[in-house]
């Protein structure tokens, strides 16, 4: 059933992106997606849903245009993720309210009796009906009724997926509206994050400007571990225009639902990935390159992994290193939450060892703050408290000592994705992908071709 919201195809919008603190009047759920009704209406699932709605309505239709989609939304409901209580979906005015219904399809694969997550429908502030999630269960009720899907149990890491529709069951023709009422953005692949808002690098003006910056004036913390590894902090170093542009880039992007598995190092559930080739053409990278050169004492560092980490109150992050013991890498973080207070937590905590027995350094978020540290230092990002409805955002740039090493590391990351896809394939498809992976490992496929292969198998 979850194929209706395929994790590789669906792009998710974080409800708190526009406000920065997670508060939103447009959705009761932290994560939502607006699939196109036109695409869904070509599926077998739509035929069954439309027929069921007409049957439940008891109406006798005189034409084939008996059921149409006014709005649809995919939802991910996670423990402690609610930011409101009840909601209306859509107003049917001037159409008779009797013609409008809400349909909810539960896309859970395995849901137990103590997992919670009920759909609750209200009438005059009293509960009219509560429905437990089951795989493929469809619930249909009048659109005039308030309703909400409750969050899963607090000790449940599993996500509750649902697809919600507002339907018109009538002969009347009504224009399909691809998004819910409000200013929810319809995310499409071409709106994934790009660096178009950031200032472009310039070998003359921007380059000279970056070189003329006295980094020491912005250095606020400088810590060295017992092993001789550095943690260096800069405040107010990024130009406001570039910092705001970076936040705008994060806000305008859609996330893939790539739930962290048991082998995830940091257990970060939502990451907004950026293209390395685009970012290195910005003046921001020129500045970051100078920072890592200054801190490491070595020129040539190059990024291989760039992304924005979205960490929420229900997340459980873990202590990890960003590189292997034989590697000499650095990670640079930019904190992107404005007006962050001490009581909102979200610290980056550094440890003496992977056991986490001793904290050696901790750093709280501050808008525009830059922290750069050696990848071998064990660390963990702390989530915000349960009273906070939004997310903690950090822009992370992981760098290897040279472009050649960085490109090899980036290729390994992409191969990991292909291996995950391979586990789901069978027969000839699996053999073909296995051969492609082998060609990549032997260097027979260049990077551009690898990117095309990735796109093909993610579709």
């Amino acid at each position: 059933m979850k194929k209706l919201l395929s994790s590789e195809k669906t792009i998710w919008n974080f409800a708190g992106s526009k406000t920065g603190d997670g508060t939103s009047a447009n959705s009761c759920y932290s994560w939502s997606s607006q699939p196109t009704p036109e695409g869904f209406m070509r599926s077998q699932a739509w035929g069954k849903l439309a027929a069921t709605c007409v049957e439940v309505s008891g109406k006798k239709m005189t034409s084939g245009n008996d059921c149409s989609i006014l709005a649809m939304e995919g939802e991910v409901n996670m423990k402690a993720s609610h930011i409101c209580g009840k909601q209306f979906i859509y107003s049917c005015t001037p159409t008779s309210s009797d013609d409008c219904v809400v349909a909810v399809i539960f896309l859970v694969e395995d849901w137990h009796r103590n997992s919670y997550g009920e759909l609750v429908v209200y009438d005059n502030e009293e509960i009219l009906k509560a429905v437990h999630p089951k795989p493929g269960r469809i619930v249909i009720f009048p659109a005039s009724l308030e309703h909400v899907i409750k969050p899963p149990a607090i000790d449940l890491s599993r996500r509750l997926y649902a697809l919600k529709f507002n339907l018109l069951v009538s002969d009347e023709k009504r224009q399909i509206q691809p998004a819910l009422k409000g200013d929810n953005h319809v995310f499409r692949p071409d709106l994934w994050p790009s660096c178009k808002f950031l200032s472009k690098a310039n070998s003359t003006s921007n380059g000279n400007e970056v070189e003329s910056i006295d980094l020491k004036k912005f250095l606020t913390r400088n810590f060295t571990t017992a092993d001789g590894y550095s943690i260096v902090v800069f405040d107010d170093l990024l130009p406001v225009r570039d910092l705001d542009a970076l936040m705008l880039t994060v806000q305008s992007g859609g996330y893939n639902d790539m739930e962290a598995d048991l082998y995830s190092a940091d257990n970060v559930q939502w990451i907004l990935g950026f293209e390395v080739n685009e970012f290195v053409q910005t003046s921001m990278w020129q500045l970051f390159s100078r920072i890592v050169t200054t801190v490491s004492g070595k020129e040539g560092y190059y990024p291989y992994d760039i992304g924005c980490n979205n960490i929420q109150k229900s997340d459980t992050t873990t202590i990890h290193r960003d590189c292997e013991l034989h590697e000499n890498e650095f990670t640079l973080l930019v904190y992107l939450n404005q007006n962050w207070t001490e009581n909102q937590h979200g610290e980056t905590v550094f440890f003496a060892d992977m056991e986490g027995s001793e904290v050696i350094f901790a750093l709280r978020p501050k808008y525009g703050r830059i922290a750069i540290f050696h990848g071998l230092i064990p660390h963990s990002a702390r989530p915000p408290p349960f009273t906070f409805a939004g997310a903690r955002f950090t822009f992370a740039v992981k760098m290897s000592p040279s472009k050649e090493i960085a490109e090899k590391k980036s290729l390994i990351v992409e191969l990991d994705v292909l291996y995950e896809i391979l586990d789901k394939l069978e027969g000839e498809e699996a053999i073909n992908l296995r051969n492609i992976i082998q060609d990549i490992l032997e260097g027979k496929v260049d990077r551009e071709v690898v990117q095309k292969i990735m796109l093909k198998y993610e579709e």
Side-chain angles (χ1 to χ4, degrees):
M1 284 301 297
K2 196 184 162 205
K3 288 181 180 179
L4 293 174
L5 284 173
S6 168
S7 62
E8 279 77 35
K9 292 181 181 179
T10 306
I11 300 174
W12 296 91
N13 175 23
F14 179 60
S17 291
K18 290 184 176 61
T19 61
D21 65 357
T23 57
S24 171
N26 300 318
S27 178
C28 282
Y29 309 95
S30 295
W31 296 97
S32 62
S33 179
Q34 284 77 44
T36 58
E38 293 89 343
F40 180 76
M41 290 176 73
R42 292 192 292 269
S43 68
Q44 290 183 345
W46 166 243
K48 294 179 180 179
L49 176 60
T52 302
C53 283
V54 172
E55 182 180 350
V56 169
S57 72
K59 296 179 181 292
K60 293 185 178 181
M61 302 301 170
T62 59
S63 71
N65 187 38
D66 47 20
C67 189
S68 58
I69 299 174
L70 300 178
M72 66 181 294
E73 180 182 52
E75 295 168 356
V76 179
N77 203 347
M78 299 181 293
K79 60 181 181 180
S81 64
H82 271 284
I83 52 179
C84 62
K86 301 176 291 184
Q87 70 170 162
F88 282 109
I89 265 203
Y90 197 86
S91 172
C92 292
T93 307
T95 306
S96 168
S97 60
D98 293 338
D99 293 334
C100 284
V101 299
V102 172
V104 175
I105 304 178
F106 286 109
L107 305 180
V108 295
E109 296 176 355
D110 183 21
W111 207 255
H112 302 296
R113 61 180 182 176
N114 292 321
S115 297
Y116 304 171
E118 293 85 6
L119 166 65
V120 180
V121 181
Y122 298 86
D123 186 20
N124 294 324
E125 299 186 356
E126 290 291 345
I127 294 177
L128 180 66
K129 184 70 176 178
V131 183
H132 186 73
K134 287 186 177 181
R137 169 167 273 180
I138 301 175
V139 185
I140 300 171
F141 53 92
S144 59
L145 297 176
E146 289 184 309
H147 66 280
V148 70
I149 299 176
K150 298 291 185 176
I154 198 67
D155 61 345
L156 191 72
S157 60
R158 195 178 304 118
R159 299 172 181 177
L160 196 168
Y161 291 86
L163 197 54
K164 187 185 294 185
F165 301 85
N166 192 224
L167 302 173
L168 175 66
V169 185
S170 172
D171 288 333
E172 177 185 339
K173 291 186 178 181
R174 183 79 171 253
Q175 181 180 1
I176 293 175
Q177 300 188 23
L180 293 177
K181 185 178 180 182
D183 63 351
N184 284 345
H185 200 80
V186 181
F187 283 93
R188 302 184 188 280
D190 59 354
L191 288 181
W192 282 28
S194 73
C195 299
K196 63 184 179 182
F197 299 122
L198 302 179
S199 301
K200 291 295 182 183
N202 187 302
S203 58
T204 54
S205 60
N206 285 343
N208 293 335
E209 183 180 335
V210 169
E211 288 300 322
S212 65
I213 295 174
D214 184 358
L215 295 179
K216 291 182 180 179
K217 289 184 177 180
F218 302 93
L219 191 152
T220 54
R221 307 282 298 275
N222 191 349
F223 180 83
T224 303
T225 70
D227 297 322
Y229 298 128
S230 297
I231 305 171
V232 183
V233 182
F234 299 91
D235 286 325
D236 305 317
L237 174 56
L238 278 173
V240 174
R241 66 179 184 278
D242 281 342
L243 180 57
D244 291 344
L246 180 58
M247 191 59 194
L248 179 61
T249 302
V250 169
Q251 290 174 341
S252 64
Y255 291 73
N256 275 120
D257 174 20
M258 302 298 287
E259 188 173 357
D261 57 24
L262 294 174
Y263 303 102
S264 171
D266 56 13
N267 205 37
V268 175
Q269 302 293 319
W270 298 90
I271 300 175
L272 185 66
F274 288 74
E275 287 290 340
V276 170
N277 291 339
E278 283 191 20
F279 184 71
V280 295
Q281 299 176 40
T282 67
S283 60
M284 187 174 289
W285 166 244
Q286 285 184 319
L287 177 59
F288 291 175
S289 178
R290 177 149 182 246
I291 291 173
V292 69
T293 298
T294 301
V295 173
S296 68
K298 180 182 180 300
E299 294 185 353
Y301 270 86
Y302 198 84
Y304 67 88
D305 187 14
I306 304 174
C308 178
N309 296 329
N310 179 309
I311 298 175
Q312 298 166 58
K313 59 187 177 184
S314 58
D315 289 334
T316 305
T317 51
T318 54
I319 300 173
H320 64 284
R321 292 188 176 102
D322 282 345
C323 65
E324 301 296 331
L325 294 177
H326 65 277
E327 294 176 318
N328 185 23
E329 297 184 352
F330 281 85
T331 297
L332 184 147
L333 299 178
V334 181
Y335 295 88
L336 292 176
N337 288 89
Q338 294 176 309
N339 305 316
W340 195 269
T341 68
E342 296 92 332
N343 291 330
Q344 289 170 327
H345 310 329
E347 300 84 5
T348 303
V349 184
F350 297 86
F351 300 88
D353 51 45
M354 285 294 291
E355 298 301 318
S357 56
E358 291 292 344
V359 174
I360 58 173
F361 189 80
L363 190 65
R364 57 168 295 223
K366 177 183 176 182
Y367 188 56
R369 169 167 280 176
I370 295 173
I372 182 169
F373 53 91
H374 198 282
L376 284 178
I377 305 175
H379 62 282
S380 175
R382 293 298 191 236
F386 267 74
T387 55
F388 185 70
R392 168 197 186 270
F393 295 104
T394 50
F395 181 72
V397 182
K398 297 178 182 178
M399 298 165 284
S400 291
S402 70
K403 183 177 180 180
E404 180 183 4
I405 297 174
E407 289 180 342
K408 288 181 179 178
K409 288 273 293 191
S410 182
L411 185 60
I412 291 172
V413 172
E414 290 167 349
L415 281 175
D416 286 342
V417 176
L418 289 180
Y419 278 121
E420 290 177 8
I421 296 172
L422 180 61
D423 289 339
K424 302 174 184 177
L425 298 180
E426 297 178 352
E428 188 173 343
E429 280 189 319
I431 294 173
N432 289 339
L433 182 55
R434 193 175 292 112
N435 291 336
I436 289 172
I437 291 174
Q438 187 60 38
D439 287 343
I440 294 173
L441 290 172
E442 294 176 2
K444 297 178 181 178
V445 183
D446 63 33
R447 185 167 184 78
E448 186 175 340
V449 175
V450 172
Q451 292 289 340
K452 291 180 180 179
I453 293 171
M454 293 280 293
L455 289 173
K456 173 186 175 183
Y457 280 98
E458 287 181 351
E459 290 178 351

